[in-house]
Amino acid sequence: MTTHLRASIDVFPIAGKFTISRGSRTEQAVVTVEIERDGVIGRGECVPYPRYGETPAETVATIETMASLIAGGLDRQGLLKALKPSAARNGLDCALWDLEARERGLRVADMCGLELPSHVATAFTISLDRPESMAEAARKAAHMPLLKLKLGAEGDAERLKAVRAAVPNARLLVDANEGWTADVLEPMLALSAQLGVELVEQPLPASDDWRLAEIDHPVLICADESAHALAGIDELVTRYDAINIKLDKTGGLTEALAVVERAQYLNMSIMVGCMVSSSLSMAPAALLAASARWVDLDGPLLLAQDRPGGLIYRDGVIDMAAMTLWGQ
């Protein structure tokens, strides 16, 4: 048996500009992983997250250190022990899932025992901008089933009011990306509830989120930067009502499935989310959609161009039956 491991950095231009409370960018670097075994290739994609000190070059280097272990037959369970939860482990884990599915002639969904819906509605992200610009962007996206507003800067109340006035009937989520402070937390939560926002994601810095256990939640609050892999989930119950599961944080689909199971046991609602990335990242994450109350897998919609053969999106709905890029 001959096995080869390859990792490379691919850069995708973003359609326009993507802005959150921590900054803006016009392109997205991802790491593509391929594991080839006797002519069969499994692929995965991961997005190194600067928030956690990850870089594309370091992620590629970490992946390459696993070449001999992968060649020696390291499986997904062994990978959980060999690497900590990270983008690097996500890329490897998803490539191993894809490889096994292709070798066995099965879908990953069947291997996991998952029932996939034929169509999945996803949130569409409105980048942080001036109130009037965000209102106009929301108006143009009003046909989408769910809008996610990036907030987390001075003037958020005006942004939220402007968007709601522009799209009075739209379902709204808010993502502050750790951008709020203790003094604006309760007024912004109250305004969000008043304007019919369904969920506020990561309002405070992860280091300061203990405050969430001491206040009322007039709107559901979701952990993102505070929620990583399986370890540490239990302590979030008193602070958050929901968690955002992203494969780059859990270190792959294998641990993400365990996180879903634990979150359900703890009666926490689930969002499945993503980084700005291509359909190769979305496809494994989409397997969690049936367990999620909110799906935020619009990464390819934010790119100027997706990978060939990517997922099909129609007005904010993913056609799951057309998913052939990964896991088939």
Side-chain angles (χ1 to χ4, degrees):
M1 181 165 26
T2 303
T3 304
H4 300 285
L5 171 64
R6 297 181 287 270
S8 61
I9 299 171
D10 293 320
V11 178
F12 290 86
I14 290 174
K17 181 171 66 175
F18 182 75
T19 302
I20 65 173
S21 62
R22 285 190 290 270
S24 302
R25 58 186 181 275
T26 57
E27 62 182 24
Q28 180 68 297
V30 307
V31 174
T32 305
V33 181
E34 290 188 349
I35 301 175
E36 181 176 357
R37 189 155 60 204
D38 293 339
V40 181
I41 299 176
R43 296 200 299 162
E45 178 181 289
C46 60
V47 182
Y49 201 165
R51 168 69 174 77
Y52 307 126
E54 298 177 333
T55 68
E58 290 170 344
T59 297
V60 168
T62 298
I63 291 169
E64 290 176 340
T65 65
M66 304 299 294
S68 60
L69 291 176
I70 295 293
L74 184 75
D75 61 12
R76 293 188 303 278
Q77 292 303 315
L79 183 63
L80 291 178
K81 300 174 183 178
L83 287 179
K84 67 180 182 179
S86 60
R89 197 178 81 182
N90 177 34
L92 286 165
D93 181 74
C94 290
L96 285 169
W97 276 108
D98 190 38
L99 178 64
E100 183 177 346
R102 295 181 187 279
E103 289 177 328
R104 296 174 61 185
L106 297 172
R107 299 186 312 159
V108 172
D110 296 329
M111 291 164 55
C112 298
L114 296 173
E115 289 291 335
L116 282 180
S118 60
H119 295 83
V120 173
T122 178
F124 180 74
T125 301
I126 306 296
S127 286
L128 180 67
D129 206 331
R130 295 173 294 115
E132 56 272 25
S133 298
M134 292 185 71
E136 180 59 22
R139 192 177 292 110
K140 291 180 179 178
H143 61 289
M144 298 289 191
L146 182 63
L147 300 181
K148 180 174 176 177
L149 313 181
K150 289 292 188 178
L151 299 180
E154 185 177 353
D156 276 349
E158 288 70 27
R159 293 183 180 94
L160 185 51
K161 290 175 183 178
V163 169
R164 176 48 87 197
V167 287
N169 299 316
R171 294 177 60 203
L172 298 181
L173 308 177
V174 160
D175 185 2
N177 282 116
E178 302 182 280
W180 291 352
T181 56
D183 60 318
V184 305
L185 174 63
E186 291 187 79
M188 283 304 302
L189 290 177
L191 178 63
S192 296
Q194 176 188 336
L195 296 180
V197 171
E198 296 183 21
L199 184 76
V200 171
E201 192 177 345
Q202 198 67 43
L204 294 176
S207 60
D208 205 25
D209 69 357
W210 56 269
R211 298 177 185 275
L212 300 175
E214 301 181 346
I215 64 169
D216 291 332
H217 293 192
V219 61
L220 298 178
I221 302 177
C222 179
D224 183 0
E225 285 84 355
S226 290
H228 297 265
L230 193 58
I233 286 182
D234 289 39
E235 65 190 48
L236 299 177
V237 172
T238 60
R239 306 175 188 183
Y240 295 96
D241 309 291
I243 62 169
N244 187 343
I245 299 175
K246 295 178 179 175
L247 301 195
D248 284 309
K249 293 190 302 176
T250 64
L253 177 62
T254 301
E255 184 148 342
L257 292 168
V259 172
V260 166
E261 183 176 352
R262 187 61 184 172
Q264 291 173 329
Y265 175 81
L266 296 170
N267 292 319
M268 298 184 78
S269 295
I270 293 170
M271 170 188 284
V272 54
C274 67
M275 304 293 285
V276 178
S277 46
S278 83
S279 286
L280 188 55
S281 284
M282 299 307 110
L287 296 183
L288 308 179
S291 302
R293 183 169 175 179
W294 304 275
V295 173
D296 182 21
L297 297 179
D298 65 343
L301 297 179
L302 304 174
L303 300 177
Q305 186 173 354
D306 194 8
R307 292 183 187 270
L311 298 183
I312 295 177
Y313 291 78
R314 296 185 180 93
D315 294 331
V317 177
I318 306 172
D319 183 351
M320 299 294 288
M323 186 171 71
T324 60
L325 181 65
W326 179 93
Q328 300 299 305

